[in-house]
Amino acid sequence: QLACLTLSNFVTTVACVDTSRGSGDDGAATGGSATGGNDGVGGEGSESSPQAPEKFDCGKLDDRSEPIVLGYIPTWSNFDATVQGLDYDALTHVAVAFANPTGPGDAVVVGDVDDAQVATLVEKAHENGVQVLVSIAGASHSEEVRAQLEADKVDAFIASIDALIDKHGFDGVDVDIEGGSVDETYEPFVTKLAAVVRPKGKVVTSAVGAWFADSISDRALWCFDFLNIMSYDYTGSWSEPGDHASYAK
């Protein structure tokens, strides 16, 4: 299946690739549906029964079969100390959280840190064989990112993400659009984004929470190399105390 989990907010994430699906010689994804129930968006991906691979083709997915250990690095809190103190030997990926437009229609930039600080992270990570992703949106910025997904804006937004990846030498992009901002614009954005960055050998991933997972179409899910499931958000100030990661749910 598509993902596995143990995730703490801005602490190391343990995730797994989907080893049940492969890629054919033409790069098309193979296998059945990525989700088990009806999704809430619609489009070609809204059918939950197994689909022909060509209906979900987002290019050749990362063929990594070993477990993935990913850490989100917040830019607003102790970034330099985190970069210097990371146990890179324990990680396969890190994600810089976050990069967003500074205003409507503006270029996407990494928040709170400068180019030199990002360069230090990328250099240290790559020296240790760790891939560096840039994570966009986040819970606090999902609405403003959602505004850039309208049909007349999304191409420019994707071009800005692509330019940011090239500028910093990132290995891919993590889509962390959350909650009600995941709507009918999500699938077209994800498929277009994958079409732009994946031919360059970049990975496309997503942070997903149970409270909006049903709004993500099968086709959008199929475009991600792996998912990071935010299991820590099953409980919080809105609920009774619960397990750190409730697999029962």
Side-chain angles (χ1 to χ4, degrees):
Q1 302 299 320
L2 191 58
C4 58
L5 57 100
T6 296
L7 177 64
S8 296
N9 199 3
F10 299 110
V11 184
T12 299
T13 304
V14 178
C16 296
V17 295
D18 177 13
T19 56
S20 68
R21 67 181 180 189
S23 57
D25 293 338
D26 61 354
T30 59
S33 170
T35 61
N38 291 331
D39 39 25
V41 173
E44 285 187 321
S46 63
E47 302 170 29
S48 58
S49 57
Q51 302 296 311
E54 59 270 15
K55 295 195 72 174
F56 295 110
D57 183 16
C58 285
K60 180 175 175 56
L61 300 174
D62 183 18
D63 60 3
R64 177 189 299 265
S65 59
E66 64 269 24
I68 289 169
V69 183
L70 179 149
Y72 282 88
I73 302 179
T75 58
W76 65 89
S77 176
N78 300 318
F79 183 85
D80 293 335
T82 300
V83 169
Q84 296 301 323
L86 279 177
D87 181 2
Y88 291 93
D89 290 339
L91 299 165
T92 61
H93 298 71
V94 293
V96 178
F98 294 98
N100 288 305
T102 54
D106 291 345
V108 177
V109 297
V110 178
D112 303 304
V113 294
D114 60 31
D115 290 351
Q117 290 172 285
V118 175
T120 298
L121 168 62
V122 172
E123 180 179 3
K124 286 184 69 66
H126 285 173
E127 285 175 351
N128 288 276
V130 175
Q131 293 193 5
V132 184
L133 313 181
V134 59
S135 187
I136 61 168
S140 298
H141 296 279
S142 287
E143 288 187 11
E144 60 200 69
V145 166
R146 161 61 184 83
Q148 304 306 308
L149 306 189
E150 297 291 346
D152 61 339
K153 299 176 182 177
V154 66
D155 290 343
F157 182 56
I158 290 172
S160 185
I161 296 171
D162 185 40
L164 185 72
I165 291 172
D166 289 344
K167 175 181 177 180
H168 292 294
F170 291 130
D171 300 290
V173 56
D174 177 65
V175 178
D176 189 14
I177 301 172
E178 301 182 19
S181 297
V182 178
D183 58 16
E184 71 280 356
T185 63
Y186 187 89
E187 179 187 302
F189 165 64
V190 169
T191 56
K192 286 185 175 184
L193 179 64
V196 169
V197 304
R198 185 161 283 129
K200 299 180 178 183
K202 308 299 183 181
V203 299
V204 184
T205 71
S206 182
V208 178
W211 67 100
F212 62 88
D214 287 344
S215 297
I216 303 177
S217 69
D218 286 4
R219 187 181 182 198
L221 287 171
W222 207 265
C223 287
F224 297 123
D225 292 282
F226 58 87
L227 299 178
N228 308 309
I229 300 176
M230 297 184 281
S231 59
Y232 56 85
D233 273 330
Y234 275 120
T235 59
S237 59
W238 59 89
S239 70
E240 294 296 322
D243 296 332
H244 165 67
S246 177
Y247 296 100
K249 295 188 178 185

